[in-house]
Amino acid sequence: MVDWSLPAQAIHNRVRGLQPWPGAYTTFRGQTLHIWKSRPGPGPGPRPPAPVFRPLAPAPGPCLPGPGRISSVKPLIVSCGSGALELLEVQLEGRKRISAADFANGQRLAENEDIGGPHF
C-alpha cells in the first residue's frame, strides 16, 4: 500500500522496486488501484499544517492539496509528503492496465480528489 506522506522519489522507487509482484497499490473510490509506472513530477508538496487560530480572511497564495490528493488531472499528478508523483500507467481492480491519461478521462477525475482513501 502506498504511503502518500512519503517523498515522491521514495514512492517512485517503491513502484519500480515492487514490480511485477507484489506491486505498488493504493485505493481509489473504494477499489484497489495498481500503479505500474510513475515518475517524480513537478509541483509542490502538501500545504503546511493549519494554524491553531483561523484568520478572518483567507491566506494569499495557491491552495495546495495534501498528500494523496490529485493536484493535476492532465498529466495525472498526486501530491506526496514532499513533492509530487506523476502516474503514467495504472490498473483499476478488475480492469486492464491503461495509461494514466486514459484512466483520468474514463473516471472523470477532479483536482483535489482523494487517492488512497479519506484524509482527515
Side-chain angles (χ1 to χ4, degrees):
M1 181 68 87
V2 172
D3 179 2
W4 293 106
S5 64
L6 294 173
Q9 186 65 50
I11 296 172
H12 173 66
N13 289 340
R14 286 187 183 189
V15 168
R16 290 183 311 131
L18 295 174
Q19 296 302 329
W21 188 87
Y25 60 93
T26 187
T27 58
F28 176 72
R29 295 181 183 164
Q31 294 183 307
T32 301
L33 180 68
H34 190 107
I35 301 170
W36 287 98
K37 286 186 182 177
S38 67
R39 72 174 157 218
R47 71 180 128 215
V52 175
F53 65 94
R54 297 271 183 207
L56 295 177
C63 179
L64 304 174
R69 292 184 184 250
I70 296 171
S71 58
S72 171
V73 176
K74 292 182 182 177
L76 182 52
I77 297 178
V78 180
S79 294
C80 302
S82 172
L85 188 73
E86 181 179 352
L87 304 183
L88 301 174
E89 281 188 12
V90 297
Q91 182 177 7
L92 194 59
E93 175 182 331
R95 306 256 177 117
K96 64 181 183 175
R97 180 175 167 174
I98 59 174
S99 72
D102 291 342
F103 173 76
N105 287 336
Q107 294 295 320
R108 297 185 178 156
L109 299 179
E111 289 186 11
N112 252 352
E113 188 168 358
D114 287 329
I115 285 192
H119 299 276
F120 300 103

